[in-house]
Amino acid sequence: MQALLLDRELSYRTDQPIPKPEAGEALIEMRLAGICATDLELAHGYAGFTGILGHEFVGQVVEVADANDRHWLGSRVVGSINIGCRQCPTCLTTGPAHCPTRRVLGIRAKDGAFADFFTLPVANLLRLPDHVADETAVFAEPLAAALRVVEQLQDLPRGEIGVLGPGRLGLLIGRVLALAGHRVTMLGRSETSLTQPRRWGLQAGLAADFPESGFSCIVDASGTASGFTAALRLLRAQGCLVLKSTFVADHPIDLSPLVVKEIRLLGSRCGRFEPALDRLSAGDIAVETLIDGVFPLSAGPAAFATAARPGVRKILLKR
């Protein structure tokens, strides 16, 4: 089958074996998949992953390992990406996202969705409503991650929140925070980066133009060390910094403002898919406007190069 394989460098392959679903798993035919910032970082060596990339997907179930799961056959699905042991206290209480031995689709010890076929536990799958197009549903995973921020900040008084990095994920975060009643300001590095936030009706401005200590809460979705530094500058004393980025710093970062300002640092990763599908089904987030290109798997390396260009939003892959 076709696949985008990461083994020190990213390559397009046509000789990869079709995986066989193990007990409890489904074999999924990829219909559409999205490239995100984490994929770009993995391709540059983040976390030392080797294998097939890809975790944002829409697929169709073509085979199941267990007879009891045959009702999934033919279903158009998305799926949560964390695969836990289902036995440890973490899995049994809060779920697989923080299981000590978890595998993560296309990120950690589990081949991903940038291939003709891939496997995932049936327990991770969610059927898609017929009226939700593939080009909409492919945003289920990043939208779930954005909604996780809303969930984590639910006890924060409704107020002004700065979202640093108006890119693929930052825009979704800004939109869902605004829908939750917060006053959101999208913070970018260039005027060009602020065009889409304004089209979505969000307040936006250049991060460099805002005074020091102007925000009580910042969500850093910039994916850069410089963005993290800018977030620390913009936060007022005893503010909250939500870190929604995976990046490899290529130089030391001054963390003293965390102590001096007594900043509360909150990491944020994956979210629940059910609320994301509800939002996508309702159609109140224009996710399709973020799509800047669709490439075949055979042009995967070129798709990655395009996705890495400044200002590019979402690049999709199809079979």
Side-chain angles (χ1 to χ4, degrees), residues 35 50 76 92 112 115 197 206 234 248 251 269:
I35 299 173
T50 298
R76 194 168 58 103
L92 295 175
L206 298 177
L234 291 167
V248 178
H251 61 273
R269 194 164 61 92

Side-chain angles (χ1 to χ4, degrees), residues 241-258:
L241 171 57
V242 181
L243 193 57
K244 197 73 174 182
S245 295
T246 51
F247 63 86
V248 178
D250 54 7
H251 61 273
I253 299 175
D254 180 12
L255 299 180
S256 62
L258 287 171

Side-chain angles (χ1 to χ4, degrees), residues 51-303:
I52 298 171
L53 292 171
H55 58 277
E56 301 177 5
F57 73 89
V58 178
Q60 187 166 359
V61 176
V62 295
E63 184 181 339
V64 292
D66 302 336
N68 290 339
D69 293 326
R70 290 186 59 82
H71 61 280
W72 282 97
L73 291 174
S75 298
R76 194 168 58 103
V77 297
V78 293
S80 56
I81 66 176
N82 295 287
I83 306 165
C85 69
R86 301 187 189 176
Q87 297 177 349
C88 70
T90 300
C91 282
L92 295 175
T93 54
T94 62
H98 297 290
C99 174
T101 60
R102 73 184 180 277
R103 295 176 293 152
V104 185
L105 184 71
I107 296 175
R108 179 176 177 176
K110 175 68 173 176
D111 281 338
F114 293 163
D116 287 334
F117 301 95
F118 60 98
T119 62
L120 200 61
V122 169
N124 288 51
L125 302 181
L126 295 92
R127 284 190 179 89
L128 290 171
D130 291 340
H131 71 277
V132 178
D134 288 356
E135 291 78 10
T136 301
V138 75
F139 286 88
E141 196 279 334
L143 183 57
L147 287 166
R148 174 62 175 156
V149 176
V150 177
E151 185 179 72
Q152 290 173 300
L153 296 180
Q154 62 184 347
D155 294 330
L156 190 75
R158 296 294 181 267
E160 187 167 7
I161 297 179
V163 179
L164 214 138
R168 308 169 185 86
L169 182 56
L171 277 164
L172 295 176
I173 294 169
R175 178 64 173 144
V176 297
L177 284 170
L179 288 171
H182 295 283
R183 297 187 305 276
V184 176
T185 301
M186 302 299 300
L187 304 168
R189 291 190 296 180
S190 68
E191 282 294 337
T192 303
S193 71
L194 304 178
T195 301
Q196 190 64 46
R198 288 168 176 156
R199 285 175 179 165
W200 277 18
L202 296 169
Q203 181 74 27
L206 298 177
D209 290 346
F210 285 80
E212 183 176 347
S213 304
F215 291 87
S216 60
C217 182
I218 291 279
V219 180
D220 177 17
S222 68
T224 65
S226 60
F228 179 77
T229 300
L232 293 180
R233 182 186 72 81
L234 291 167
L235 274 168
R236 63 176 59 114
Q238 297 183 317
C240 176
L241 171 57
V242 181
L243 193 57
K244 197 73 174 182
S245 295
T246 51
F247 63 86
V248 178
D250 54 7
H251 61 273
I253 299 175
D254 180 12
L255 299 180
S256 62
L258 287 171
V259 177
V260 174
K261 290 185 174 183
E262 294 188 330
I263 298 300
R264 180 163 65 101
L265 181 62
L266 183 62
S268 184
R269 194 164 61 92
C270 300
R272 296 180 297 120
F273 270 54
E274 291 84 357
L277 286 183
D278 287 344
R279 282 291 187 192
L280 293 174
S281 185
D284 53 7
I285 303 177
V287 292
E288 301 88 349
T289 62
L290 300 180
I291 299 172
D292 282 341
V294 182
F295 289 71
L297 269 176
S298 58

